[in-house]
Amino acid sequence: MRGILVVISGPSGAGKGTVCRALIKSLPDVHLSVSATTRQARAGEIDHVHYYFITRTEFQERIARREMLEWADVYGDFYGTPREPVDRILNQGRDVILEIDVQGALQIREQMPEAVLVFLSPPSFTELERRLRKRGTDTDERIGQRLDWAHRELRSFPSYDYVVINDRVEAAVEKIVAVIVAEKCRTKRFQLLDSNPYT
Ligand code: 5GP
């Protein structure tokens, strides 16, 4: 059976990164996709591990060669999911997680209707702002920009299959694990099997 593509998305500050790292620990067989980006690496980030850090020219060439499954301009930097590893790993029957922004998730919805889209939401706007400030990586202007975006992004949650409110990381991870387990039991996934015992 082909693996499941699980998209964890939502506004920045929702805690996507933290939740995905914890999720991978709970589900060691699941592959977390490594995105390409044109933004500068932050302290502690490793090329090929946290992101593929590439130039804008290279990014545009990859888009032209259709090597990006989805991509988006997020606050002036490009971010995208390399297509080949995702296809290969899904075909091996392993599940893949994408941690991407809302624009990217909506592209996946169009291209891969069988993907499972999870909207990770912060518990409140006050908490979102607190998290963005605590991170200490952004200027006040950038934080304001991220909050404006978040207001707009929160409106797109009806396009997703599930909403998980991230008030506590362990609880959010538990809910996403439950979503994946349930998705694996869906009848439509069994209809895809040649050896389906139920047809
Ligand atoms: P950051 O710069 O904080 O690592 O990420 C900024 C935003 O870009 C986050 O919302 C993150 O989820 C999103 N992002 C990371 N990788 C991708 C990707 O491959 N595609 C899209 N569309 N967004 C991404």
Side-chain angles (χ1 to χ4, degrees):
M1 198 190 302
R2 198 168 139 89
I4 297 179
L5 182 64
V6 182
V7 177
I8 310 290
S9 180
S12 64
K16 300 190 292 285
T18 313
V19 165
C20 285
R21 280 193 297 277
L23 189 60
I24 291 299
K25 283 196 190 134
S26 299
L27 302 169
D29 286 346
V30 170
H31 173 82
L32 180 62
S33 161
V34 178
S35 298
T37 183
T38 62
R39 85 149 159 73
Q40 294 290 309
R42 296 183 186 131
E45 283 183 333
I46 302 164
D47 193 15
H48 289 54
V49 174
H50 297 96
Y51 281 106
Y52 296 104
F53 295 100
I54 63 176
T55 63
R56 291 179 86 86
T57 310
E58 193 176 346
F59 200 102
Q60 277 155 341
E61 284 169 2
R62 290 196 190 183
I63 294 170
R65 291 197 300 264
R66 301 186 153 274
E67 289 173 12
M68 293 296 186
L69 181 58
E70 61 72 35
W71 67 276
D73 180 335
V74 186
Y75 324 113
D77 285 309
F78 295 153
Y79 293 81
T81 305
R83 184 191 301 276
E84 187 277 330
V86 173
D87 278 345
R88 178 167 36 84
I89 293 163
L90 289 177
N91 285 334
Q92 287 167 359
R94 284 175 65 202
D95 304 329
V96 176
I97 292 182
L98 305 186
E99 187 241 296
I100 61 177
D101 89 319
V102 171
Q103 305 169 72
L106 299 179
Q107 291 170 50
I108 298 287
R109 172 90 300 163
E110 291 284 304
Q111 288 189 51
M112 301 179 77
E114 73 281 14
V116 178
L117 267 59
V118 178
F119 189 88
L120 193 70
S121 170
S124 67
F125 242 85
T126 318
E127 175 60 15
L128 180 68
E129 183 165 359
R130 196 191 63 81
R131 287 181 190 172
L132 289 176
R133 291 198 186 282
K134 196 177 122 196
R135 197 143 74 171
T137 49
D138 291 313
T139 60
D140 274 358
E141 191 194 343
R142 192 120 167 142
I143 289 171
Q145 218 180 19
R146 287 187 182 229
L147 285 170
D148 280 350
W149 264 97
H151 261 293
R152 258 169 276 158
E153 288 177 333
L154 285 173
R155 282 193 223 121
S156 61
F157 83 85
S159 302
Y160 288 70
D161 300 301
Y162 297 93
V163 174
V164 170
I165 298 186
N166 182 22
D167 41 11
R168 210 165 46 83
V169 174
E170 300 76 29
V173 168
E174 235 172 69
K175 287 179 186 166
I176 298 171
V177 170
V179 163
I180 296 174
V181 170
E183 283 291 330
K184 284 191 172 291
C185 297
R186 287 180 72 125
T187 46
K188 71 176 183 194
R189 310 236 175 244
F190 286 89
Q191 281 152 18
L192 299 175
L193 270 181
D194 289 341
S195 57
N196 183 357
Y198 302 107
T199 53

